Amino acid sequence: MGIRGRVEELFSVIMNTPLWLTHLLVLLQLLLPLTWSLLHPPHPPPVHIPTLVPHAPTPLIRSRFSARTQPELTTHCNASCFHRGEPEAPRERLTDKLAFETLYADGSRTLTTVDVEADEEFEGDPFTPPSPGRAQRLKARRRRVRRQIYGADGRFNIQGDNFLLDYPFSTAVRISTGCTGVLVSQRHVLTAAHCVHDGKDYVKGARKLRVGFLNPPSINGGLASSKKPLVRWVRVKRTRVPKGWIQGPQEVSMDFDYALLELRWPHRRPFMRLSVAPSSDDLAGNRIHFSGFDSDRSGELVYRFCPVEEESSNLIYQHCDARPGASGSGVYGRVWDNSLERWERKVIGIFSGHQWLEIDGENRDYNVAVRITPLKFAQICYWVHGNRLDCVQD
C-alpha cells in the first residue's frame, strides 16, 4: 500500500470516531515520519533463524485449572534486567526456556523439550542491544506515575462492516478468558501466556477455552436494531505455552509471555504473518500498532498506534494507550520485505501489560510488548507448521 492508500485508511478510521478533529491532528503528526520511511526504505540484512529440534512429548498429570485469570500483567525491572539479553545466556538455559507444554481440550498435558541445532552463525539469540544513546535518553526522562492512558486518549473504536471485516482489524479476536488474540494462520491464534496460565497452573477459563470472532450486526440475521457486533465463538483444540513462562520470576518470565491456540476448525478470515522484530529504526515511522478488546469499551474493537520508546532484547517499551483486556493483542508494524521489495504489515510482538522500569533510582512506567526474536519465531513457527523445515524467516 502506498502513501495515499495509508492516508485514506487512517482518515476513514478517524472520521468514524468521536473527536475526529483531535484525531486528525494525530494523523498529521504521523504522516511526516511515515512519508520519510516510505520514500527511504531500509534494507536490513537477512535474519538467521535457528533450527529447533523437538524431542518426543512426555505425558504430564492433568491440569487442575486452579489459577485466577489475570486481566493485565504488571512487573518490575531494574537496569540489569533491562540490559539482560539472550545472547549472554548459556545455550542450555535457552533451550530449557524454549521447551513447551501442550494442553489438550480434554485437560491432558504433555511436555516437549527441544534442542537448538548447532550453527556457527548462531550464538544465543541475535539482536542488537539498545544503543548507548537510548540508554542515555532513559536517564533524561522525568518520573511518571503509573498510567495506562498517556495524555489524551489516542484509541479509536473500530465500527461498521467496512472496518470490522477489513484487514488488519479482522485479524483481532477475543479470548474467552478476557483477553485479545491475533490470527496468525488459518487455525492458529497468538495471545499472551498470562491469559491462559499464571506461571503455576492454567486458569479456570482455560478448561473450555474459546476464541471469539466479531461480526457486525448487519450480517447476524439482519439484526439492524443491535448496535454492537455479535461474537461467534470457536472452541480451542490445543494450547501451547513456553516453559520460559512457567518457570522463574515474572520479571524474567515476562520475556516469554506468549501462547499459541489451535482452533478446532479453520476460519475464513485473512491472518497476519509473523516476523522477527526488527530494530525500531527499521519500522515505518518508528511506530507499532495493535487492536484489542479493552475492558473499558465493552464489545468494541479498539485500535491504537504509537512510537517505540525503548527496546531491549526481549521487550518493546511504549506508551500506546491500553486497558486490561488488550493483553494478547498482536503488535504489528510495517516491516520492509526484501523479497517483495515493499512494506508489509507483520506481527512482531504480543502486548503483555505494564512494567515499572527502575533506572538510577527512578521508576518509569511503560506498556510493554514481548518482541518476537529469532528463537521465538522458530518456536512459534514450529507450533504452527509442525515442521521445522518450513520455519524460515518470510
Side-chain angles (χ1 to χ4, degrees), residues 26-340:
V26 175
L27 172 61
L28 294 176
Q29 295 176 15
L30 171 68
L31 288 182
L32 185 58
L34 177 62
T35 302
W36 179 262
S37 297
L38 293 173
L39 293 176
H40 301 275
H43 292 82
V47 177
H48 174 69
I49 304 299
T51 301
L52 256 61
V53 182
H55 298 164
T58 303
L60 300 173
I61 61 173
R62 297 173 67 89
S63 174
R64 293 175 297 154
F65 299 101
S66 61
R68 293 183 179 181
T69 303
Q70 296 176 292
E72 183 194 42
L73 184 66
T74 300
T75 60
H76 292 76
C77 181
N78 56 27
S80 61
C81 169
F82 176 76
H83 293 293
R84 181 186 66 245
E86 290 183 356
E88 299 156 358
R91 184 184 298 272
E92 294 78 12
R93 189 185 306 170
L94 291 177
T95 54
D96 187 42
K97 292 180 181 297
L98 290 168
F100 57 89
E101 274 194 17
T102 302
L103 172 69
Y104 300 89
D106 63 359
S108 61
R109 297 184 299 153
T110 60
L111 173 65
T112 304
T113 58
V114 302
D115 285 329
V116 177
E117 196 168 84
D119 193 320
E120 292 181 357
E121 296 181 28
F122 174 71
E123 291 294 336
D125 194 358
F127 170 76
T128 303
S131 65
R134 285 188 176 276
Q136 291 170 3
R137 289 203 303 274
L138 262 176
K139 297 179 181 179
R141 288 209 172 98
R142 59 190 176 88
R143 184 171 182 172
R144 288 178 176 268
V145 296
R146 181 189 175 188
R147 290 159 60 182
Q148 296 162 316
I149 305 297
Y150 297 90
D153 193 337
R155 297 175 295 167
F156 306 94
N157 280 12
I158 304 302
Q159 301 172 336
D161 299 17
N162 295 333
F163 298 105
L164 285 176
L165 297 181
D166 279 357
Y167 185 87
F169 309 120
S170 59
T171 64
V173 292
R174 292 181 61 179
I175 309 300
S176 57
T177 54
C179 291
T180 302
V182 59
L183 301 173
V184 293
S185 86
Q186 290 184 338
R187 297 189 69 138
H188 294 91
V189 176
L190 191 62
T191 188
H194 77 261
C195 295
V196 296
H197 196 291
D198 73 346
K200 297 179 180 179
D201 192 15
Y202 290 90
V203 302
K204 181 178 180 181
R207 186 188 298 270
K208 295 182 179 179
L209 195 61
R210 300 178 298 162
V211 170
F213 291 78
L214 217 58
N215 289 326
S218 61
I219 68 172
N220 288 284
L223 299 176
S225 59
S226 176
K227 294 183 179 180
K228 290 188 177 181
L230 301 181
V231 181
R232 177 177 63 88
W233 294 99
V234 177
R235 287 289 300 274
V236 171
K237 175 183 177 181
R238 185 161 50 188
T239 301
R240 280 174 165 159
V241 180
K243 194 177 176 184
W245 168 255
I246 297 172
Q247 63 183 22
Q250 282 193 332
E251 62 268 18
V252 175
S253 59
M254 189 180 196
D255 297 345
F256 295 87
D257 187 15
Y258 57 91
L260 191 77
L261 317 180
E262 182 179 344
L263 303 175
R264 284 192 172 184
W265 301 283
H267 60 83
R268 297 181 179 179
R269 297 194 179 186
F271 57 87
M272 194 176 298
R273 291 191 299 164
L274 297 171
S275 172
V276 172
S279 166
S280 61
D281 294 334
D282 292 329
L283 291 173
N286 188 39
R287 280 174 165 79
I288 57 171
H289 314 247
F290 60 97
S291 300
F293 297 92
D294 300 46
S295 59
D296 63 334
R297 300 191 184 184
S298 177
E300 300 286 351
L301 179 63
V302 184
Y303 162 74
R304 73 226 78 196
F305 63 87
C306 68
V308 175
E309 298 285 343
E310 302 294 340
E311 52 191 338
S312 67
S313 296
N314 287 286
L315 300 176
I316 300 171
Y317 293 84
Q318 34 77 21
H319 287 149
C320 282
D321 296 327
R323 297 287 293 172
S327 291
S329 299
V331 173
Y332 64 91
R334 287 182 173 271
V335 179
W336 182 256
D337 191 308
N338 284 328
S339 61
L340 299 176

